Amino acid sequence: VCRSNKSPWVCLTCSSVHCGRYVNGHAKKHYEDAQIPMTNHKKTEKQEKVQHTVCMDCSSYSTYCYRCDDFVVNDTKLGLVQKVREHLQNLENSTFTSDRHRKRKLLENSSLNSKLLKVNGSTTALCATGLRNLGNTCFMNAILQSLSNIQQFCCYFKELPAVELRNGKTAGRRTYHTRSQGDNNVSLVEEFRKTLCALWQGSQTAFSPESLFYVVWKIMPNFRGYQQQDAHEFMRYLLDHLHLELQGGFNGVSRSVILQENSNLSASNKCCINGASTVVTAIFGGILQNEVNCLICGTESRKFDPFLDLSLDIPSQFRNKRTKNQESGPMCTLRDCLRSFTDLEELDETELYMCHKCKKKQKSTKKFWIQKLPKVLCLHLKRFHWTAYLRNKVDTYVEFPLRGLDMKCYLLEPENSGPESCLYDLVAVVVHHGSGVGSGHYTAYAAHEGRWFHFNDSTVTLTDEETVGKAKAYILFYVERHAKPGAEKL
């Protein structure tokens, strides 16, 4: 009906294909229309209620019942649902084989890709694996691919022991989306580990992260459904929950209990990095010093705030610039955004500071210093701003360095750091394409063993540094550089 290719659902009664429940709702309309024709016929009314109610997602092979209004995992006695899954998988594999032959010919005609592919001596050097889009899940895929290329972080999870969450008859069996399973069967760390293990193994087919997505639905209600979500918000929630679960040891039940007890922390939209240290805080954790000075009496207040990422405003003077090649005015750089974040500013009337000496709210100034830099510096460019009625996107190109980002001048005590300890090299970039936070598309660029890849859901292509540098970055991941002579500076 709408020719959408997002989340196609097939009716298991009549084989009609419509867009999924959370796209334009045509699969649901098909179900509703099927209830009307025979409602006046008493003999067939009971029969009609069970028709056209069950659909299968052609991407993830999850089964949904409109009558139950839920995803279901049970099958018929003859295993007909599983047969449909196998048939769809065979169709997909045969289609993928023909596409692979076509792509191979295109690669042979591309001099750039041919050179890059010959690094390891054969065309199979392109070992990156894509992530299947489960219905507007590009926001999740872009974050997962970025994190998978942060070596220290990724290797830690891949080396964790596997957790067996199911036993008996269900052991080893693939599970599908359902809200009826007990929370004791949920482990974000375990599904995250499985997803990372599936990437970079040279698989010919894209990996479908539906098990991870199911866990996300379970423990992060904000991300239920198939509508577009904010990639930065998802990353914050993901890191928070991984941190909380890792504090609970390596047992699926205890992790679940911790997540339930701390559910209010994720809702506060703050990075909760309190408690015992984990790989999340060890790699992404830094500390800010927040200085507030009363302009009336001069009283200074200091507090230290832990962070997992820094959200940077794009300075207002650059917000009307839309392209890299600007003729009028200077180009916005990442340093401009960092300066705007750390520069001294006077708080406005809505942010008056409660001065303990004056015993009332007073005008004051605020300044941030970085007290401790993290091993991986995550920088989020605030491209979405609320106006009176809607959320607008700032489409300004921000120039960012691929190597040698120097953070020394933003440190509270730069004299205590080594000459090379504040230099960072880019490892991944998340890009938002489109105009609104609830629409558009996310992709990611990431460096792996000296080569840059572009991750666009199931599609992974080799690219070059020049292309990466032209991207309108939304989230930037920088890795701390180990001391080397002759380091290049920003």
Side-chain angles (χ1 to χ4, degrees):
V1 177
C2 61
R3 297 190 178 276
S4 171
N5 63 351
K6 295 177 180 177
S7 186
W9 285 18
V10 58
C11 174
L12 296 187
T13 302
C14 65
S15 300
S16 298
V17 179
H18 298 88
C19 64
R21 178 186 177 103
Y22 300 102
V23 184
N24 293 316
H26 288 122
K28 184 180 182 182
K29 189 175 186 302
H30 171 71
Y31 153 69
E32 292 170 345
D33 292 345
Q35 310 306 303
I36 298 170
M38 306 182 76
T39 52
N40 295 325
H41 298 268
K42 293 182 180 180
K43 292 182 180 179
T44 56
E45 187 175 358
K46 188 175 181 180
Q47 180 185 356
E48 184 62 30
K49 285 182 179 179
V50 297
Q51 290 185 345
H52 301 276
T53 60
V54 182
C55 296
M56 180 178 288
D57 187 327
C58 299
S59 299
S60 65
Y61 310 126
S62 302
T63 308
Y64 190 89
C65 176
Y66 275 103
R67 194 175 175 199
C68 301
D69 194 28
D70 202 352
F71 287 97
V72 291
V73 292
N74 53 305
D75 202 342
T76 65
K77 290 181 179 179
L78 298 176
L80 295 176
V81 175
Q82 184 58 30
K83 288 181 180 178
V84 175
R85 285 196 183 104
E86 292 171 358
H87 183 63
L88 286 172
Q89 285 175 322
N90 290 335
L91 284 174
E92 185 179 5
N93 290 337
S94 62
T95 304
F96 181 81
T97 302
S98 60
D99 285 347
R100 192 172 64 199
H101 289 306
R102 181 176 58 83
K103 288 179 180 178
R104 185 174 293 173
K105 288 184 179 179
L106 289 173
L107 287 174
E108 288 171 356
N109 294 329
S110 170
S111 59
L112 172 63
N113 285 343
S114 293
K115 288 178 182 177
L116 289 170
L117 289 171
K118 288 178 182 177
V119 171
N120 290 337
S122 70
T123 56
T124 58
L126 185 62
C127 58
T129 301
L131 286 168
R132 185 176 287 133
N133 192 316
L134 305 179
N136 282 330
T137 56
C138 55
F139 69 93
M140 179 176 76
N141 293 347
I143 294 298
L144 292 175
Q145 293 287 14
S146 298
L147 295 178
S148 77
N149 285 282
I150 298 172
Q151 293 304 313
Q152 281 179 293
F153 187 69
C154 182
C155 288
Y156 175 87
F157 284 94
K158 289 199 291 188
E159 292 171 3
L160 285 178
V163 176
E164 185 56 62
L165 299 176
R166 298 177 298 279
N167 48 44
K169 292 182 179 180
T170 59
R173 188 180 299 173
R174 194 179 190 191
T175 59
Y176 296 87
H177 300 313
T178 176
R179 291 192 289 274
S180 61
Q181 286 182 299
D183 278 341
N184 289 344
N185 285 332
V186 168
S187 170
L188 180 65
V189 170
E190 173 65 3
E191 296 306 333
F192 186 67
R193 182 194 70 81
K194 288 178 184 176
T195 302
L196 293 181
C197 288
L199 302 176
W200 296 107
Q201 290 188 346
S203 173
Q204 297 296 327
T205 58
F207 178 72
S208 183
E210 75 265 12
S211 295
L212 176 61
F213 194 39
Y214 154 67
V215 174
V216 169
W217 278 29
K218 275 280 190 182
I219 65 176
M220 306 181 202
N222 291 18
F223 298 96
R224 284 181 185 167
Y226 291 100
Q227 63 272 26
Q228 183 65 279
Q229 302 280 0
D230 187 299
H232 175 249
E233 185 181 2
F234 171 73
M235 182 195 74
R236 292 284 297 264
Y237 273 80
L238 178 69
L239 293 179
D240 283 355
H241 279 286
L242 287 172
H243 172 67
L244 286 171
E245 196 172 322
L246 285 168
Q247 288 178 329
F250 297 101
N251 179 279
V253 177
S254 66
R255 287 171 179 169
S256 176
V257 170
I258 285 176
L259 291 177
Q260 290 173 359
E261 290 176 351
N262 292 279
S263 59
N264 61 316
L265 291 172
S266 62
S268 68
N269 200 29
K270 292 183 179 180
C271 270
C272 66
I273 54 176
N274 300 319
S277 177
T278 67
V279 67
V280 176
T281 53
I283 289 181
F284 289 96
I287 300 174
L288 280 176
Q289 177 177 289
N290 184 358
E291 289 182 359
V292 179
N293 283 278
C294 176
L295 291 176
I296 306 303
C297 68
T299 299
E300 185 179 87
S301 172
R302 295 180 182 178
K303 69 173 183 175
F304 294 96
D305 298 318
F307 68 89
L308 295 181
D309 70 309
L310 298 178
S311 290
L312 311 177
D313 277 307
I314 296 174
S316 56
Q317 66 266 31
F318 298 108
R319 290 185 188 174
N320 294 326
K321 310 296 182 184
R322 301 187 64 83
T323 60
K324 181 176 180 179
N325 299 320
Q326 304 161 24
E327 294 181 1
S328 59
M331 183 188 300
C332 183
T333 67
L334 187 59
R335 175 171 278 186
D336 292 320
C337 300
L338 285 165
R339 276 205 201 101
S340 176
F341 180 79
T342 56
D343 276 354
L344 185 72
E345 66 169 317
E346 185 173 334
L347 299 176
D348 59 32
E349 296 293 331
T350 61
E351 299 178 300
L352 291 179
Y353 162 65
M354 182 65 188
C355 180
H356 298 292
K357 188 174 182 179
C358 299
K359 305 294 183 183
K360 63 178 181 178
K361 290 186 176 182
Q362 300 283 30
K363 285 188 175 183
S364 55
T365 60
K366 179 181 72 174
K367 180 173 175 61
F368 284 119
W369 293 98
I370 297 177
Q371 201 266 340
K372 175 184 174 293
L373 282 166
K375 292 180 179 178
V376 174
L377 179 65
C378 179
L379 301 175
H380 161 237
L381 298 178
K382 293 159 75 171
R383 292 195 173 274
F384 299 105
H385 289 266
W386 283 103
T387 61
Y389 301 102
L390 70 160
R391 205 175 185 187
N392 287 334
K393 181 182 177 182
V394 179
D395 206 32
T396 304
Y397 170 78
V398 178
E399 187 177 49
F400 54 90
L402 270 67
R403 297 181 187 85
L405 171 64
D406 193 346
M407 295 294 294
K408 193 169 188 175
C409 59
Y410 311 108
L411 278 177
L412 180 64
E413 298 175 343
E415 65 277 3
N416 294 334
S417 61
E420 308 297 337
S421 62
C422 304
L423 291 178
Y424 287 81
D425 295 327
L426 188 69
V427 69
V429 186
V430 173
V431 182
H432 177 268
H433 311 267
S435 57
V437 65
S439 60
H441 183 59
Y442 287 98
T443 65
Y445 293 95
H448 185 81
E449 295 181 353
R451 293 183 291 168
W452 280 95
F453 293 83
H454 184 213
F455 297 91
N456 183 3
D457 288 335
S458 299
T459 306
V460 183
T461 53
L462 283 159
T463 187
D464 52 41
E465 291 186 355
E466 184 181 359
T467 303
V468 176
K470 290 178 180 178
K472 290 182 180 177
Y474 181 48
I475 307 172
L476 296 153
F477 296 88
Y478 282 92
V479 176
E480 183 182 39
R481 181 190 291 183
H482 297 293
K484 290 181 180 178
E488 180 184 347
K489 292 192 177 183
L490 173 64

